[in-house]
Amino acid sequence: MVRDPFASESTPSAEEICSALDDPDCREIIRKLEEPMTASELTKECDIPQSTLYRKLELLTDATLLEESTEIRQDGHHASKYSIAFDEITLGLDEERALSVQIERPARTADERLAELWSEVRRET
């Protein structure tokens, strides 16, 4: 399943985001993602066992800190690629003195907007 934090209608809770960022493996994944990478590439780059890596990727995508997209391959064995989905995260206190979170997302390119539109069409058909 491809998950797009830009299309997400709700912001994850401050607790979800802090939990993901508190994990040393998750921080290592974020550090290594200078460009989109597959789970196999991240396993090698981060020296994290693949089974553990998939749990960490799930944690990061659920917190909308990573974007998961599909790399279409000619051989039919498509792969998920992961990329950073934020520029800045700000934690603050709301009126009730509870933690609030604001995520600043990078601007979408024309290609990304087209891919998002195509994904939407595929979901509806």
Side-chain angles (χ1 to χ4, degrees):
M1 176 174 136
V2 177
R3 287 172 279 184
D4 183 359
F6 296 90
S8 178
E9 294 180 12
S10 64
T11 302
S13 70
E15 291 80 13
E16 287 177 281
I17 292 171
C18 289
S19 177
L21 293 174
D22 187 44
D23 187 294
D25 289 336
C26 288
R27 290 192 308 271
E28 181 67 9
I29 291 166
I30 290 170
R31 249 189 308 280
K32 297 293 183 174
L33 273 173
E34 293 181 25
E35 60 185 40
M37 298 173 82
T38 64
S40 296
E41 293 167 334
L42 282 166
T43 296
K44 293 173 191 164
E45 246 344 273
C46 299
D47 196 31
I48 299 171
Q50 196 162 11
S51 60
T52 301
L53 182 87
Y54 278 111
R55 287 193 308 272
K56 304 306 177 171
L57 290 172
E58 180 88 17
L59 184 62
L60 288 163
T61 53
D62 286 349
T64 71
L65 300 177
L66 294 185
E67 176 181 8
E68 179 184 359
S69 60
T70 302
E71 177 183 60
I72 306 298
R73 297 179 177 170
Q74 288 183 342
D75 64 5
H77 295 101
H78 309 312
S80 289
K81 282 204 156 196
Y82 299 89
S83 57
I84 301 296
F86 66 94
D87 284 332
E88 186 174 306
I89 299 170
T90 305
L91 291 174
L93 292 175
D94 63 17
E95 297 81 32
E96 290 87 37
R97 310 245 342 125
L99 279 179
S100 65
V101 66
Q102 181 178 355
I103 301 175
E104 185 177 313
R105 307 265 182 219
R108 305 285 275 177
T109 66
D111 288 344
E112 290 168 330
R113 291 191 309 268
L114 180 61
E116 182 180 326
L117 199 90
W118 179 248
S119 293
E120 192 65 33
V121 168
R122 287 182 53 202
R123 270 194 293 271
E124 291 182 16
T125 57

